[in-house]
């Protein structure tokens, strides 16, 4: 009862009142600060200035809750803040300022130490008054409401419907609020089947570009004066700090467009002309494909399905960024998703939500990495594990051991073809003798544009094109050569363009694949000391169809153009 004694020393309390207060504190179980303030012995400011002197902890006065971002607030979760009467106040020079009513409380100090270890931050403690704490606790609700209200407004604007024409958007700027302009941009992207939106400041204008079928198109130019307002609106929707423009930020939000729930993943990036924003459009109707829709040949499909039935092993999807690797893994995951299987994923980020699958997003900023998550996943009794990407030697080794100890493991790797998977794993520190018993499949892929079925045009192949196709066919595996019939006059298809494909001549994208399977012969090559040439020879023995050969077959089937396949080289 130190504070009551201090008040008595200062002559604020007479002896009979002092004894009465001490008795009330003993019998009520309340803290002495609560009793003193309830009985209005002294003002809150007087009491906490006294406590600050006594504990030698600085008192934080005149705190404005509106200046605290939700990101800083949630470094101490709301429930923890309520339980331990402590809140985040600000983050300065990588140090979190923490306000506490009871800094002498050992349980609160332990909770704060735990949060700092988990969140990897240093902190400095300040004393705050109960009224300051209550104002800041209300700020949790206020900021969450603001984000929620912004999403609700966006959904209302999207329900009303907007015209998806760039010219109309530019006109709209002059007569509509920024919230509606952003809604129009989002709808335009979804309706145009764009995978990404780029909001880029230039010297005299704001450029909005959309990535459609893998290619960026400049679609909208707005006055540069709208740049800050549009970026701020996107930040509010994705719960990012509006006033932080010096460092990149990442966030996401979800909303309904027509009847579809669409996720938008947001990344801001500081440039010399201001912040650039890229929004990834995660439309499950486009991104989540069934296995049969990927574009695999019957031969490749049969190999994957056969290997999936085994009780353990590593299946790797490989290719450059944007080649559809994750889409392939999600398609395989959906085939494996059965009632009797426990599927756990580690992703960065979670792109699509799959019912029945336990999906987790890594957070490197709090040291929740692929490697750390993998160690914990093993304790979750998984049958199937999906790891978004093998980025380092620790993850590579953990993935290999997980596959070796009775789990089906799916992951992605960056290599240019399937032959490069084995040397890449060894570069990442996986022992060569562990690869044959763990690696089941290496699936390499690229994405090509699919011709629009409504307007594609059948034409006679020019001699140069015919010679190129015939040359590629000569390298086909014998079983494929027998199936391919080339007429004297070879016909292929070209793009034209119509209203259904926005005059592009293409509608969507499809994968071209090569599937390398682990065999006894390949295992022997790995163990005896391999080269990429040895692996390529084994792939030929397996009658593997290369990505280019798979593309030529798709040209002959009228799915795509020769130009698309040449671009793969």
């Amino acid at each position: 009862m130190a504070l009551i004694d201090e008040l008595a020393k200062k002559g604020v309390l007479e002896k009979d009142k002092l004894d009465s207060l001490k008795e009330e504190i003993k019998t009520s179980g309340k803290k002495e600060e609560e009793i003193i303030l309830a009985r209005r012995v002294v003002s809150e400011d007087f009491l906490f200035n006294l406590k600050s002197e006594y504990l030698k902890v600085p008192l934080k006065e005149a705190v404005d809750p509106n200046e605290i971002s939700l990101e800083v607030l949630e470094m101490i979760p709301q429930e923890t803040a309520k339980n331990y009467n402590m809140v985040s106040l600000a983050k300065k020079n990588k140090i979190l300022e923490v306000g506490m009513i009871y800094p002498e409380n050992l349980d609160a100090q332990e909770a704060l130490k735990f949060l700092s270890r988990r969140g990897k931050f240093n902190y400095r403690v300040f004393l705050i008054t109960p009224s300051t704490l209550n104002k800041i606790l209300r700020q949790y609700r206020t900021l969450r409401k603001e984000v929620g209200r912004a999403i609700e407004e966006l959904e209302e604007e999207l329900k009303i419907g907007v015209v998806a024409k760039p010219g109309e958007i530019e006109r709209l700027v002059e007569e509509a609020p920024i919230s509606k302009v952003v809604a129009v941009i989002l709808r335009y992207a979804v309706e145009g089947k764009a995978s990404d939106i780029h909001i880029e400041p230039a010297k005299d204008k704001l450029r909005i570009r959309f990535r459609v079928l893998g290619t960026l198109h400049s679609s909208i130019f707005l006055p540069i004066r709208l740049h800050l307002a549009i970026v701020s609106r996107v930040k509010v929707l994705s719960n990012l700090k509006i006033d932080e423009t010096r460092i990149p930020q990442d966030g996401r939000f979800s909303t309904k467009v027509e009847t579809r729930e669409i996720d938008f993943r947001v990344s801001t990036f500081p440039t010399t002309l201001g912040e650039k924003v890229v929004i990834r459009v995660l439309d499950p109707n486009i991104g989540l494909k069934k296995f049969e829709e990927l574009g695999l040949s019957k031969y490749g499909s049969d190999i994957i399905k056969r290997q999936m039935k085994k009780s353990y092993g590593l299946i790797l999807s490989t290719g450059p960024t944007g080649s559809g690797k994750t889409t392939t893994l999600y398609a395989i995951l959906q085939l494996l998703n059965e009632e009797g299987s426990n599927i756990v994923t580690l992703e960065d980020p979670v792109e699509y939500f799959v019912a029945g699958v336990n999906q987790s997003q890594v957070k490197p900023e709090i040291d929740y990495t692929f490697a750390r998550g993998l160690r914990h996943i093993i304790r979750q009794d998984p049958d199937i594990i999906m790891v978004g990407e093998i980025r380092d030697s620790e993850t590579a080794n953990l993935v290999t051991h997980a596959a070796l100890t009775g789990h089906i493991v799916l992951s992605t790797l960056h290599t240019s073809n399937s032959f490069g998977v084995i040397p890449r794993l060894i570069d990442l520190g996986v022992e060569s003798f562990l690869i044959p018993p763990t690696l089941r499949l290496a699936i390499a892929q690229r994405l090509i544009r699919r011709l629009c079925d409504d307007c594609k045009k059948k034409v006679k192949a020019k001699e140069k094109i015919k010679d190129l196709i015939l040359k590629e066919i000569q390298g086909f595996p014998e079983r494929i050569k027998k199936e391919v019939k080339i007429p004297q006059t070879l016909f292929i298809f070209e793009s034209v363009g119509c209203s259904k494909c926005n005059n592009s001549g293409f509608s969507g994208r499809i994968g071209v694949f090569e599937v390398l399977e682990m065999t006894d012969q390949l295992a022997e090559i790995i163990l005896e000391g391999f080269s990429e040439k040895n692996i390529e020879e084994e792939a030929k023995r397996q009658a593997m169809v290369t990505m280019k050969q798979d593309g030529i077959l798709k040209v002959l089937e009228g799915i795509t153009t020769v130009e698309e396949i040449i671009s793969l080289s």
Side-chain angles (χ1 to χ4, degrees):
M1 303 185 192
L3 282 177
I4 288 181
D5 291 334
E6 289 295 314
L7 288 170
K9 280 181 193 175
K10 288 191 176 285
V12 176
L13 283 173
E14 296 172 3
K15 190 176 184 309
D16 59 336
K17 203 167 188 182
L18 175 68
D19 294 338
S20 167
L21 283 171
K22 284 187 174 181
E23 186 62 31
E24 187 177 348
I25 290 165
K26 274 183 189 174
T27 55
S28 70
K30 291 181 180 178
K31 302 225 181 257
E32 61 179 327
E33 291 90 339
E34 293 176 286
I35 302 290
I36 293 167
L37 292 174
R39 297 282 283 288
R40 298 184 180 178
V41 177
V42 291
S43 70
E44 186 182 70
D45 286 345
F46 184 93
L47 179 64
F48 276 81
N49 271 297
L50 181 67
K51 183 171 181 175
S52 172
E53 286 172 26
Y54 178 75
L55 292 178
K56 307 262 186 299
V57 176
L59 177 67
K60 198 79 166 176
E61 298 178 277
V63 176
D64 184 355
N66 294 315
E67 291 182 2
I68 308 172
S69 71
L70 189 57
E71 181 190 17
V72 168
L73 266 186
E74 292 195 330
M75 289 180 81
I76 295 176
Q78 190 173 4
E79 284 308 307
T80 306
K82 282 181 182 175
N83 287 340
Y84 295 105
N85 295 290
M86 64 178 181
V87 286
S88 305
L89 301 173
K91 195 175 181 187
K92 295 178 182 175
N93 301 321
K94 297 185 180 177
I95 293 174
L96 184 69
E97 294 183 354
V98 178
M100 303 176 82
I101 293 182
Y102 308 110
E104 70 276 20
N105 183 319
L106 294 178
D107 288 340
Q109 288 286 358
E110 282 304 311
L112 183 54
K113 281 178 189 171
F114 170 76
L115 288 172
S116 75
R117 284 194 302 271
R118 194 181 71 178
K120 292 202 166 229
F121 61 79
N122 295 318
Y123 60 86
R124 186 182 174 201
V125 171
F126 291 85
L127 187 67
I128 55 170
T129 63
S131 57
T132 297
L133 176 78
N134 290 330
K135 283 178 190 170
I136 295 171
L137 287 175
R138 283 197 293 272
Q139 186 70 352
Y140 280 97
R141 295 191 294 275
T142 303
L143 286 173
R144 283 190 181 136
K145 273 183 189 170
E146 185 183 347
V147 173
R149 190 162 54 244
I151 295 288
E152 283 171 17
E153 285 172 5
L154 176 64
E155 288 185 344
E156 281 303 312
E157 284 153 4
L158 289 168
K159 272 182 201 170
I160 294 165
V162 286
V163 181
K165 291 179 183 174
E168 298 262 344
I169 298 172
E170 286 149 12
R171 179 187 54 77
L172 189 69
V173 163
E174 302 303 325
E175 56 191 54
I178 288 297
S179 58
K180 186 154 283 189
V181 175
V182 172
V184 172
I185 291 168
L186 296 177
R187 179 181 279 273
Y188 182 64
V190 173
E191 289 181 347
K193 297 180 180 176
S195 61
D196 300 88
I197 306 164
H198 289 239
I199 301 170
E200 302 166 312
K203 280 187 176 179
D204 55 352
K205 60 192 170 188
L206 182 65
R207 179 171 67 167
I208 314 290
R209 292 196 288 172
F210 299 89
R211 189 177 292 281
V212 180
L213 300 179
T215 305
L216 273 172
H217 302 275
S218 293
S219 299
I220 305 166
F221 292 95
L222 301 176
I224 192 64
R225 61 184 166 80
L226 297 179
H227 173 234
L228 283 176
I230 287 175
V231 171
S232 295
R233 179 65 179 173
V234 172
K235 282 183 171 181
V236 168
L237 289 168
S238 45
N239 195 15
L240 299 179
K241 289 177 74 174
I242 293 173
D243 58 344
E244 181 55 85
T245 60
R246 301 161 300 169
I247 58 172
Q249 295 186 74
D250 294 305
R252 73 188 291 161
F253 63 94
S254 299
T255 188
K256 275 192 174 177
V257 180
E258 294 169 349
T259 57
R260 307 202 303 280
E261 187 76 29
I262 309 289
D263 275 354
F264 297 92
R265 200 170 80 215
V266 176
S267 171
T268 69
F269 186 77
T271 74
T272 52
L273 295 171
E275 281 186 291
K276 174 181 175 175
V277 178
V278 174
I279 305 172
R280 169 66 56 89
V281 183
L282 299 170
D283 184 347
N285 283 15
I286 296 170
L288 265 183
K289 292 187 182 294
K290 292 180 181 173
F291 187 76
E292 297 75 25
E293 296 171 339
L294 294 174
L296 281 154
S297 65
K298 185 180 183 308
Y299 177 70
S301 174
D302 288 346
I303 294 173
I304 294 171
K305 285 180 177 176
R306 182 172 69 243
Q307 292 292 353
M308 275 167 42
K309 288 176 184 172
K310 296 187 177 175
S311 59
Y312 71 94
L314 179 60
I315 296 174
L316 290 177
S317 177
T318 183
T321 302
S323 58
K325 301 185 296 293
T326 306
T327 300
T328 297
L329 290 193
Y330 272 113
I332 294 172
L333 209 60
Q334 289 175 88
L335 283 184
L336 293 167
N337 190 10
E338 296 173 347
E339 182 65 31
S341 295
N342 177 24
I343 303 177
V344 187
T345 76
L346 269 177
E347 304 172 60
D348 184 21
V350 173
E351 293 201 3
Y352 301 103
F353 297 99
V354 182
V357 174
N358 305 288
Q359 295 171 268
S360 181
Q361 181 163 317
V362 299
K363 294 179 181 174
E365 67 272 15
I366 58 167
D367 200 30
Y368 180 41
T369 59
F370 283 123
R372 189 170 182 180
L374 260 171
R375 289 195 196 92
H376 289 277
I377 277 181
I378 301 301
R379 298 173 201 157
Q380 290 286 314
D381 185 31
D383 299 296
I384 298 151
I385 300 167
M386 184 179 106
V387 179
E389 187 182 339
I390 298 174
R391 293 177 179 170
D392 53 52
S393 57
E394 192 177 6
T395 307
N397 278 288
L398 286 167
V399 159
T400 304
H401 284 284
L404 198 60
T405 53
H407 305 91
I408 296 173
V409 183
L410 310 174
S411 192
T412 69
L413 199 63
H414 283 275
T415 65
S416 57
N417 54 36
S418 59
F419 313 139
V421 167
I422 293 156
R424 180 70 182 130
L425 287 174
I426 290 170
D427 285 345
L428 286 166
V430 178
E431 296 286 355
S432 57
F433 67 85
L434 290 175
I435 295 174
T438 53
L439 183 64
R440 295 274 179 229
L441 287 177
I443 307 164
Q445 67 181 88
R446 297 284 190 285
L447 289 177
I448 55 169
R449 292 182 295 174
R450 179 198 280 271
L451 280 164
C452 173
D453 288 329
D454 288 291
C455 65
K456 66 182 179 183
K457 181 182 173 187
K458 189 175 182 179
V459 295
K460 181 183 172 183
K462 294 174 183 173
E463 282 303 312
K464 195 176 177 182
I465 298 293
K466 186 177 178 180
D467 290 345
L468 186 148
I469 290 172
L470 291 172
K471 186 181 174 184
E472 285 297 328
I473 289 171
Q474 288 308 307
F476 278 20
E478 286 302 319
R479 60 178 179 78
I480 302 288
K481 270 189 199 176
K482 289 173 186 174
E483 293 170 12
V484 177
K485 307 289 184 208
I486 300 293
Q488 193 64 37
T489 304
L490 176 63
F491 286 93
I492 56 172
F493 286 84
E494 288 182 349
S495 61
V496 178
C498 65
S499 58
K500 289 193 177 175
C501 63
N502 289 326
N503 292 312
S504 68
F506 296 92
S507 178
R509 291 193 290 176
I510 193 167
V512 288
F513 297 86
E514 57 187 42
V515 182
L516 181 66
E517 187 176 20
M518 183 57 68
T519 59
D520 292 341
Q521 292 88 342
L522 182 55
E524 200 174 315
I525 288 167
I526 295 166
L527 295 172
E528 287 180 356
F530 66 89
S531 67
E532 205 163 305
K533 192 172 188 321
N534 297 139
I535 299 170
E536 194 171 343
E537 284 168 3
E538 167 55 19
K540 284 179 182 173
R541 193 203 63 76
Q542 285 184 25
M544 185 190 86
V545 175
T546 67
M547 283 184 282
K548 194 168 186 183
Q549 290 169 347
D550 188 29
I552 291 294
L553 288 171
K554 286 180 169 69
V555 169
L556 295 174
E557 290 169 27
I559 294 170
T560 191
T561 66
V562 172
E563 288 76 17
E564 283 292 296
I565 306 309
I566 292 170
S567 70
L568 294 174
S569 303

